[in-house]
Amino acid sequence: MKFLILIFSIFISVSQAQEFGSSASSPYANHKEGKSQYINEHNQDEIQNIIHSSKFIEFNALLTDAKINSCASDLRLSIEEINQDEYKFKNIILALREKNLLDDVAVFLILQEADKKIVINLPQKSEDINSDEKNVALKYFRNAERKLNDGQCKEDIYRNLYYQLAADKNKFQRQFKKLIEMAYEENVINNNTYKILSNLRKYKIEKWPTTLKHYFENREKMAEYFPTNPIEYSNLITDKKFQHQYSLHQELHFRFNTEQIALMADVIKNLKNRFESNNITININYSNKETEVITLSPMERFRLSIKLLRKELAILNNSDLLNGQHASYLDIIAAGYETGIVKADELEALQSLEEIWNPKKSQKEKAIFWLKNFGGMATVLVPQPYSLLAVLAIMVIDQQINIPKPNPDEDYNLL
Amino acid sequence: MRFLILLYFVFQTNLINAAVVKNAVIRDKHFKAKISQVELVDLIRDDAFEGKYFKIVLGKSDEAISFKENEAIQLKAATTYYHLNIARKFFVEKIKSEYVTNLPQMTIRLELTNVFNEVGHFANNNLDPQFNNALSIPAGKGYAPANIPKWDNEIWFRPSKEINIKDLTFGHDIGPSVKNLLHDFRNQTHNSNFKSFLISFLNAEINHIDINLINTAIRFAESSLLTELIFQTSDFAAEFFSRKIYKLDSALVPEIIYHEFSHIALSDHIELTHSTAVNEGLADYFAGKIANSSELATHINKYNLFSGKEVKNKQMYDLMYEKGEYANADFVFGILWTIGQTIGTDIENNFIYQLSFQVDTNSTIREDLVNASLETCSSECHSPFNDKIKLYKMFNNKGL
């Protein structure tokens, strides 16, 4: 009978895989990203072997198991149990990514758990913890103990505990090791919890940008808020060139929650609507005569739209809505794409406006700037008859880099 | 039966059977002009330059130029006839213009010096004879009391005449000169040097004169003197090194022929009454496309910058460049060419043609032309949202 059920479940999984690589059943199915930043020619062979192996269906099935799929450490343990050291763990995850069962955000969050490295810190100077502080701290530990016994994800419990303590008292953050030991000595946490917390502390789990559970919740909300969000793929948001460490898509989910992403997307939605508007007018309402209506030229409309975007983004960044996080122009484009407001084929054009947003100096301009600065000083060293030529050259350079201001009576653009 | 059908077809079209080959000016693959033998298509006479679509006449005559006419005139007639047919083919086959397809035979006048008159067709012979250019003229109703018959759209090519550059005028404004271009630079140099000299001088009073301060002061004086010398002699130097005689045989320049035919091809919606930045720019664009070469656009681009028409540099730029004769040649052409490249070369010809329906002869550049391109993009672009952003960016970079 068990054999029949297994056959049946395998059949179901295969039929799902044929539809959209089983992505419909995976909570981390890739609905937005193009080519993965993690897959390259070096790991491609083993990834293909895994995809064509019989174990792949079992790995896939783990992603749909609600008991483990929101906890990276549980997921890893379950995968390793099936894998039995046959394939590299990283390549198994990448095989799931290759079939769009995971996106790069989930890949990172699962792999960070597997790749965690011990971080040894210098011992902190001991600070006294009085009895009131001790009681507060132990209350958090008691709570964490209960959650661990309930079988909740250990890395999430650890991070919650750490941030609750840090929010309460700064010194709790510094004395975290001491607090774990104190909780154990006071019998607030048992032997097992002590080992788990001490172990996770070594890996600096609190430094992770986010956890799989948090991403899981974000995805669920996103599906709820934006039910018509289309499935489409773009390489632009998986490309790491825009950020130092993460792709635009990863950065978006690591730094912002669903509500914040929705707010950011609204800014780009306004920009799109303004670009598509038929006309924009400025009304001057006089007290003693008819209202004057000034219609903006097409390029004035364009520049006004950009200025309004800057303003709205500045308001958002200066509010408390983003919890102090700073959203850049690229972040709001990524947010627009994530929510389906921006289509995949519109991303590149919007991204190209970054040039207007943050104009960069050309190599020529940079060279001229340095030539002018150092050349000016160097002319002192040139003997008298030849110095004239050097001075002239500097003057020409000066003329090149000085952008003249428009004559006031010739400035025909309102914006 | 087949023979009858063939006969019917031959009489129907009146086309001559034997191919007529004549010398004409064409462009080689390096865009250099050369005289070469070309086949004249769609001729309906075997003794004169009269074809199904074009009749080439001399001056005010209505008779087609004979194949017995002197070689110089035949060369002009053959060149205009040959290239006009190329231009017509472009509009019929590539642009799919119904208007051009249904155009009746058009009269092309060579060596005509008369000024155009809207009522009388030709102004009096003595009135300001015209040389070195070409123009497309709109159809007229004629004037029966003076025995002036009605006429259709025509293209007139003026004879060439050597004119000394010094005698050229630029209407109400002074012509472009090197001296004018250096004017701002010279003033800025003097101001900055004088200011720096004063600062050095005051420092010297306070801290006692030393050799470095004297050297610096001399440097400023030297640079001002040299700048003034260059400024004062610039026009003389320009005259010495540049050409002195201006002459243009418009009937022998393929691009001018394409340009004038483009005016006719667009005349169903863009009036030929007068030259404006927009209608001249559109004609230039199609001339460039019929010539199938970016040479024109490339050269225009250089000229664009040289004459201070870089919109971004607002101190050098004048709104005047967007209207009147200054804007005729290059400004709109440059914009249209770049629009084409921006929205995609596979659709650019049709795009610009459709755009031309959104503007008229008196359209402005920064309002109407820009708006027309965005409107046209809504219906013609592959990806309207993306392409509009590209257009916005392009216009913004041009400083519009």
Side-chain angles (χ1 to χ4, degrees):
Chain A
M1 187 60 188
K2 270 186 183 173
F3 178 73
L4 280 174
I5 290 169
L6 183 66
I7 292 286
F8 178 73
S9 67
I10 288 173
F11 173 77
I12 292 291
S13 301
V14 169
S15 63
Q16 282 173 342
Q18 282 167 346
E19 275 181 318
F20 180 61
S22 300
S23 57
S25 52
S26 164
Y28 311 108
N30 177 27
H31 292 168
K32 292 286 171 190
E33 295 179 348
K35 194 169 174 281
S36 169
Q37 58 168 292
Y38 299 105
I39 297 173
N40 52 45
E41 57 197 31
H42 303 298
N43 51 28
Q44 191 57 249
D45 286 349
E46 186 165 319
I47 288 171
Q48 289 306 320
N49 287 341
I50 296 168
I51 290 170
H52 294 107
S53 74
S54 56
K55 285 183 177 176
F56 184 70
I57 293 161
E58 295 180 65
F59 297 141
N60 173 18
L62 292 175
L63 291 179
T64 63
D65 187 343
K67 286 181 191 161
I68 55 167
N69 67 5
S70 63
C71 186
S73 53
D74 293 347
L75 196 59
R76 177 176 55 81
L77 286 172
S78 303
I79 288 173
E80 282 176 348
E81 202 174 311
I82 295 167
N83 184 38
Q84 297 294 322
D85 291 335
E86 192 175 347
Y87 304 110
K88 283 183 186 167
F89 177 76
K90 182 178 178 182
N91 287 342
I92 296 170
I93 299 301
L94 294 185
L96 293 166
R97 170 65 178 89
E98 178 76 356
K99 297 301 284 180
N100 284 324
L101 299 163
L102 296 172
D103 61 15
D104 277 3
V105 182
V107 167
F108 175 88
L109 296 174
I110 296 167
L111 291 182
Q112 75 174 354
E113 197 283 328
D115 293 344
K116 56 188 189 294
K117 293 178 178 63
I118 293 174
V119 181
I120 299 166
N121 291 324
L122 290 173
Q124 290 283 342
K125 193 180 165 189
S126 186
E127 292 174 271
D128 287 337
I129 295 171
N130 63 35
S131 60
D132 287 346
E133 289 168 345
K134 187 176 162 185
N135 288 336
V136 170
L138 290 179
K139 184 183 78 184
Y140 293 127
F141 276 97
R142 210 168 281 119
N143 204 17
E145 169 83 355
R146 185 178 52 74
K147 284 180 184 171
L148 270 175
N149 291 336
D150 289 348
Q152 291 184 30
C153 187
K154 60 188 180 188
E155 53 260 31
D156 284 297
I157 294 168
Y158 171 86
R159 280 164 62 93
N160 277 345
L161 174 66
Y162 181 87
Y163 287 122
Q164 280 170 341
L165 287 166
D168 216 308
K169 283 264 184 307
N170 268 343
K171 69 176 173 187
F172 285 168
Q173 194 178 343
R174 294 190 293 273
Q175 301 298 318
F176 193 49
K177 185 184 175 190
K178 190 177 171 184
L179 289 173
I180 296 172
E181 286 164 359
M182 190 178 74
Y184 177 62
E185 282 161 12
E186 296 284 335
N187 285 326
V188 172
I189 56 172
N190 62 26
N191 190 25
N192 187 40
T193 305
Y194 173 77
K195 280 181 187 166
I196 289 171
L197 294 179
S198 300
N199 205 25
L200 291 175
R201 196 190 63 81
K202 284 183 206 160
Y203 297 120
K204 288 277 171 196
I205 305 298
E206 70 274 10
K207 302 277 185 203
W208 285 0
T210 188
T211 62
L212 200 58
K213 187 185 174 197
H214 184 252
Y215 183 50
F216 180 89
E217 289 165 354
N218 254 10
R219 292 277 304 235
E220 282 202 323
K221 278 190 202 167
M222 196 67 78
E224 187 188 333
Y225 295 166
F226 303 96
T228 56
N229 194 347
I231 296 174
E232 49 188 348
Y233 304 110
S234 163
N235 288 336
L236 194 131
I237 61 153
T238 56
D239 201 322
K240 278 181 24 176
K241 70 181 175 188
F242 300 107
Q243 306 288 349
H244 296 300
Q245 197 178 354
Y246 308 121
S247 70
L248 278 177
H249 193 222
Q250 288 174 330
E251 186 87 5
L252 186 74
H253 283 284
F254 294 165
R255 293 173 56 212
F256 305 103
N257 62 33
T258 311
E259 287 77 12
Q260 290 167 334
I261 290 171
L263 281 169
M264 288 155 65
D266 217 35
V267 177
I268 208 80
K269 186 181 175 184
N270 291 342
L271 177 80
K272 273 190 78 177
N273 289 341
R274 285 176 192 132
F275 277 170
E276 299 286 1
S277 64
N278 293 329
N279 65 58
I280 297 178
T281 56
I282 295 173
N283 291 355
I284 306 177
N285 299 314
Y286 296 106
S287 56
N288 55 354
K289 62 175 185 172
E290 280 182 13
T291 299
E292 184 184 358
V293 180
I294 297 163
T295 305
L296 298 187
S297 74
M299 290 314 294
E300 286 169 343
R301 287 206 307 262
F302 171 71
R303 286 190 275 267
L304 178 73
S305 303
I306 298 282
K307 279 174 191 286
L308 286 172
L309 176 71
R310 280 185 195 279
K311 183 183 172 181
E312 285 170 8
L313 187 56
I315 289 171
L316 191 62
N317 276 329
N318 284 309
S319 72
D320 297 332
L321 295 167
L322 300 186
N323 293 339
Q325 292 281 356
H326 181 270
S328 68
Y329 174 65
L330 289 176
D331 288 329
I332 57 169
I333 294 178
Y337 178 61
E338 189 65 8
T339 54
I341 287 165
V342 172
K343 305 281 176 292
D345 65 348
E346 296 169 351
L347 263 177
E348 209 165 310
L350 280 169
Q351 182 267 322
S352 72
L353 288 179
E354 169 83 357
E355 227 175 83
I356 295 171
W357 196 262
N358 291 319
K360 288 184 175 56
K361 280 190 175 174
S362 66
Q363 292 298 326
K364 182 188 158 196
E365 284 170 322
K366 286 177 191 167
I368 283 177
F369 176 79
W370 288 108
L371 255 176
K372 191 212 161 196
N373 279 318
F374 287 105
M377 288 188 269
T379 52
V380 179
L381 306 172
V382 181
Q384 194 56 247
Y386 306 106
S387 66
L388 181 67
L389 287 172
V391 169
L392 272 175
I394 299 289
M395 278 160 48
V396 171
I397 289 168
D398 198 39
Q399 184 83 356
Q400 289 281 311
I401 54 172
N402 279 335
I403 300 164
K405 286 180 182 170
N407 299 326
D409 52 351
E410 288 289 338
D411 198 3
Y412 27 76
N413 281 324
L414 184 65
L415 292 162
Chain B
M1 186 62 186
R2 273 185 186 172
F3 178 71
L4 282 175
I5 293 170
L6 187 66
L7 264 186
Y8 171 79
F9 195 73
V10 168
F11 281 110
Q12 175 72 17
T13 56
N14 293 329
L15 296 179
I16 59 166
N17 289 325
V20 173
V21 175
K22 291 277 177 192
N23 275 340
V25 176
I26 59 165
R27 296 278 183 205
D28 64 14
K29 60 183 178 182
H30 303 297
F31 209 68
K32 302 281 181 221
K34 66 168 188 180
I35 295 175
S36 185
Q37 290 214 315
V38 297
E39 187 184 338
L40 304 182
V41 296
D42 293 329
L43 280 173
I44 56 173
R45 284 177 63 178
D46 58 4
D47 61 343
F49 291 92
E50 183 170 2
K52 196 175 169 186
Y53 307 111
F54 304 102
K55 181 169 74 171
I56 318 294
V57 303
L58 204 54
K60 291 191 272 186
S61 164
D62 283 328
E63 263 304 302
I65 294 171
S66 163
F67 289 169
K68 290 175 185 166
E69 189 62 70
N70 71 57
E71 281 300 317
I73 294 296
Q74 278 206 58
L75 181 67
K76 290 184 183 182
T79 303
T80 48
Y81 186 87
Y82 175 73
H83 289 291
L84 283 167
N85 274 292
I86 290 176
R88 184 186 177 279
K89 195 176 173 193
F90 174 86
F91 278 98
V92 170
E93 293 181 3
K94 290 203 170 166
I95 303 291
K96 313 246 182 280
S97 162
E98 272 189 44
Y99 175 69
V100 173
T101 308
N102 298 322
L103 274 177
Q105 187 196 56
M106 191 189 305
T107 302
I108 312 300
R109 299 185 183 278
L110 305 185
E111 306 290 285
L112 184 65
T113 54
N114 296 66
V115 173
F116 170 63
N117 183 294
E118 283 181 17
V119 180
H121 196 183
F122 307 108
N124 190 290
N125 288 353
N126 298 324
L127 187 72
D128 192 18
Q130 301 288 301
F131 300 94
N132 301 326
N133 66 20
L135 82 160
S136 307
I137 63 155
K141 292 175 184 167
Y143 187 57
N147 289 325
I148 296 165
K150 67 174 186 175
W151 67 90
D152 280 325
N153 291 332
E154 292 181 352
I155 300 175
W156 295 1
F157 292 93
R158 310 302 197 181
S160 70
K161 183 184 174 188
E162 288 190 353
I163 297 174
N164 198 309
I165 293 280
K166 279 182 182 170
D167 298 333
L168 282 177
T169 56
F170 293 86
H172 59 282
D173 215 321
I174 52 166
S177 76
V178 180
K179 201 169 185 175
N180 289 338
L181 293 174
L182 288 174
H183 188 265
D184 289 343
F185 173 73
R186 170 246 201 173
N187 285 355
Q188 196 178 324
T189 306
H190 287 335
N191 281 338
S192 125
N193 282 351
F194 185 62
K195 203 161 68 181
S196 305
F197 174 77
L198 274 181
I199 293 167
S200 307
F201 181 73
L202 288 170
N203 280 339
E205 282 292 299
I206 297 161
N207 303 324
H208 307 294
I209 295 171
D210 67 32
I211 192 70
N212 281 338
L213 286 170
I214 293 172
N215 278 347
T216 313
I218 290 171
R219 261 192 207 111
F220 290 133
E222 278 175 350
S223 78
S224 270
L225 276 173
L226 194 70
T227 308
E228 191 59 29
L229 187 70
I230 292 169
F231 176 73
Q232 292 300 340
T233 57
S234 56
D235 271 359
F236 170 75
E239 193 184 328
F240 187 76
F241 290 110
S242 65
R243 66 178 184 174
K244 293 158 193 69
I245 300 295
Y246 170 74
K247 168 185 168 182
L248 178 68
D249 218 330
S250 56
L252 293 178
V253 183
E255 294 72 37
I256 295 179
I257 300 167
Y258 301 150
H259 171 98
E260 294 305 331
F261 185 79
S262 299
H263 273 309
I264 300 291
L266 302 174
S267 63
D268 58 334
H269 54 284
I270 296 184
E271 290 176 359
L272 293 171
T273 47
H274 58 287
S275 287
T276 63
V278 170
N279 70 4
E280 294 299 333
L282 279 164
D284 280 338
Y285 172 83
F286 284 112
K289 285 295 160 189
I290 297 166
N292 197 21
S293 166
S294 59
E295 285 280 321
L296 274 182
T298 314
H299 279 96
I300 286 294
N301 192 32
K302 283 176 191 165
Y303 174 62
N304 223 346
L305 298 177
F306 176 75
S307 57
K309 293 183 182 182
E310 195 180 13
V311 193
K312 259 189 153 177
N313 191 343
K314 290 190 168 64
Q315 205 169 60
M316 294 284 282
Y317 186 73
D318 195 308
L319 261 189
M320 180 180 69
Y321 294 133
E322 289 183 28
K323 52 193 178 190
E325 57 197 273
Y326 273 95
N328 281 356
D330 51 358
F331 189 73
V332 175
F333 180 31
I335 289 177
L336 293 174
W337 196 269
T338 323
I339 288 176
Q341 289 172 332
T342 307
I343 50 112
T345 47
D346 53 333
I347 59 164
E348 61 178 333
N349 289 338
N350 187 49
F351 184 95
I352 300 295
Y353 185 62
Q354 295 303 326
L355 178 151
S356 71
F357 285 93
Q358 309 264 354
V359 291
D360 59 37
T361 310
N362 297 317
S363 290
T364 59
I365 296 172
R366 64 183 58 239
E367 294 270 343
D368 303 332
L369 188 68
V370 172
N371 221 8
S373 69
L374 296 169
E375 287 285 316
T376 309
C377 192
S378 298
S379 57
E380 303 295 327
C381 285
H382 291 308
S383 174
F385 181 77
N386 291 339
D387 292 336
K388 275 188 197 176
I389 287 186
K390 286 182 196 164
L391 287 173
Y392 274 130
K393 265 186 69 185
M394 186 272 285
F395 290 134
N396 191 58
N397 287 340
K398 274 194 172 285
L400 280 171

